[in-house]
Amino acid sequence: MGFGKVLCLVVLSLSLSLNISTCSKLLENCSEDSDCDAGLYCFSCPQGFIGKKCVRSSPTNPFKLLNNSLPFNKYAFLTSHNAFAIDKEPSRTGVPRVTTTNQEDTITQQLHNGVRALMLDTYDFDGAVWLCHSFGGKCRDFTAFEPAIDTLKEIEAFLSSNPSEIVTLILEDYVTTPKGLTKVFTDAGLMKYWFPVAKMPQNGQDWPLVSDIVAQNHRLIVFTSIKSKQQSEGIAYQWNFMVENKYGDDGMKKGSCSNRGESSALNDKSKSLVLVNYFRSVSVKLLACGQNSQNLIDMLQTCYGAAGNRWANFVTVDYYKRSEGGGAFQAVDRLNGELLCGCNDVQVCKHGSSTCTR
């Protein structure tokens, strides 16, 4: 533990009776993570400010702040794009990796920091299901990240240790091996958490209550991009249940929000979930803190109108922790505030009610 952290904790312990925190608060100067209040970390974003400041490191958990008694589609969840494509992840094939990355934290770290939906690209490779970028439409030894089972076991460990949390997986699916996904999910011990397709709503109806999903332990919701697998493997076809905007640079055009090709129109209310992408076609880590800030909030507002006055349930970004202050975490708090009480921040929703404190 660094000196700054020790000093912060000592002084804080002396100030508890006054309910005063002596650690640096949001956007105050810092030199290391330990200088910052809980829920913040020390970061440099040249696009937004000079030097290093404390910025947010997690969203507000609406289940704990308010309640989990509403339908699943009445909440918003932070989603990591290409959650598996992690900076400095060692090669698992023995060949140096030559491909882009989209995140900095492990899957476990992402989940502990409040990410609740993971986008994963699944491929047949080396006799198993792997998480991979493609080259020429296939997973290669220089674009592969890791066997899917390793990531799925991290998810199983998180669900086991956090019995009130729900995780959603959105698979860009290239697995052609019959029952290949079923096998890897079974081998990872995840089938006991599986949310059955039969319980997913049709025609825009509400999803089950989160409290019921938790009570029934159906806490893993999985979508695939392959339509036939809903029938053959019981894995929900994504666009039967949600609408999604364009991804990459096409999804970042100011004032514009339209559906990607596979999705129905964003204002199709027969689909009760809305997903908003906001990331570059080619990820640039140094620019992520700027794109994950006010421009992201603005796009959520644009997509709200395009989706028939519906706020997004999933907001998908690269390098989810990088921001000019509140970042993707504040964006999710904004969404949950709007969904739960019509406020622009979930923190101002009254506990157990649907009204603002202001």
Side-chain angles (χ1 to χ4, degrees), residues 189-241:
L190 283 170
M191 297 308 294
K192 59 182 173 289
Y193 303 112
W194 197 267
F195 191 106
V197 171
K199 293 199 172 188
M200 295 183 181
Q202 304 291 328
N203 301 317
Q205 297 172 326
D206 280 339
W207 280 64
L209 306 182
V210 166
S211 54
D212 290 341
I213 294 173
V214 170
Q216 295 164 13
N217 207 31
H218 293 156
R219 297 184 293 115
L220 181 68
I221 300 173
V222 183
F223 297 102
T224 175
S225 58
I226 298 180
K227 188 173 184 179
S228 62
K229 289 190 180 180
Q230 184 164 316
Q231 180 65 35
S232 65
E233 295 192 58
I235 306 174
Y237 178 54
Q238 178 182 351
W239 293 290
N240 281 343
F241 302 96

Side-chain angles (χ1 to χ4, degrees), residues 27 57 83-84 88 144 148 168 174 177 210 238 258 273-274 281 300 322 336:
L27 290 180
S57 60
F84 63 93
K88 301 178 182 178
T168 301
Y174 299 95
T177 300
V210 166
Q238 178 182 351
S258 57
L273 295 172
V274 178
S281 296
L300 293 175
R322 290 180 166 250
N336 276 313

Side-chain angles (χ1 to χ4, degrees), residues 108-354:
T108 297
Q109 290 168 333
Q110 291 177 44
L111 292 170
H112 282 296
N113 288 335
V115 172
R116 287 296 176 270
L118 307 168
M119 284 188 168
L120 305 174
D121 294 1
T122 53
Y123 287 82
D124 292 309
F125 178 71
D126 198 25
V129 176
W130 276 62
L131 303 179
C132 192
H133 285 323
S134 68
F135 182 82
K138 294 183 179 180
C139 181
R140 311 286 184 172
D141 53 6
F142 57 89
T143 64
F145 280 85
E146 69 175 11
I149 192 166
D150 293 346
T151 291
L152 296 181
K153 284 182 176 179
E154 288 187 72
I155 296 166
E156 195 284 328
F158 176 81
L159 288 170
S160 176
S161 300
N162 296 272
S164 63
E165 297 297 334
I166 298 168
V167 173
T168 301
L169 303 183
I170 300 168
L171 307 181
E172 186 174 325
D173 187 4
Y174 299 95
V175 175
T176 59
T177 300
K179 305 285 186 179
L181 287 182
T182 299
K183 182 180 187 305
V184 74
F185 277 105
T186 300
D187 291 348
L190 283 170
M191 297 308 294
K192 59 182 173 289
Y193 303 112
W194 197 267
F195 191 106
V197 171
K199 293 199 172 188
M200 295 183 181
Q202 304 291 328
N203 301 317
Q205 297 172 326
D206 280 339
W207 280 64
L209 306 182
V210 166
S211 54
D212 290 341
I213 294 173
V214 170
Q216 295 164 13
N217 207 31
H218 293 156
R219 297 184 293 115
L220 181 68
I221 300 173
V222 183
F223 297 102
T224 175
S225 58
I226 298 180
K227 188 173 184 179
S228 62
K229 289 190 180 180
Q230 184 164 316
Q231 180 65 35
S232 65
E233 295 192 58
I235 306 174
Y237 178 54
Q238 178 182 351
W239 293 290
N240 281 343
F241 302 96
M242 74 170 67
V243 294
E244 178 181 351
N245 73 321
K246 291 180 178 179
Y247 56 89
D249 295 344
D250 287 341
M252 298 183 72
K253 294 178 179 177
K254 186 175 179 63
S256 174
C257 186
S258 57
N259 60 287
R260 65 180 289 172
E262 301 90 338
S263 168
S264 59
L266 295 180
N267 62 0
D268 178 3
K269 294 187 178 180
S270 69
K271 314 296 189 293
S272 53
L273 295 172
V274 178
L275 185 150
V276 171
N277 296 303
Y278 199 73
F279 51 83
R280 297 173 185 273
S281 296
V282 178
S283 62
V284 181
K285 182 166 63 172
L286 292 178
L287 299 180
C289 63
Q291 73 190 40
N292 288 347
S293 297
Q294 186 59 48
N295 290 343
L296 171 60
I297 300 286
D298 293 344
M299 182 56 70
L300 293 175
Q301 183 72 54
T302 299
C303 291
Y304 166 77
N309 296 337
R310 292 187 296 168
W311 293 103
N313 303 104
F314 301 98
V315 55
T316 307
V317 298
D318 284 337
Y319 300 110
Y320 71 100
K321 280 176 65 177
R322 290 180 166 250
S323 79
E324 296 175 358
F329 305 120
Q330 185 59 47
V332 174
D333 280 8
R334 165 73 183 273
L335 292 172
N336 276 313
E338 298 286 3
L339 285 163
L340 295 171
C341 69
C343 303
N344 63 9
D345 190 335
V346 72
Q347 290 283 353
V348 298
C349 297
K350 288 183 179 178
H351 181 73
S353 75
S354 58

Side-chain angles (χ1 to χ4, degrees), residues 22-35:
T22 57
C23 302
S24 296
K25 299 186 181 301
L26 183 67
L27 290 180
E28 291 184 350
N29 293 333
C30 60
S31 59
E32 57 184 26
D33 291 350
S34 59
D35 295 334

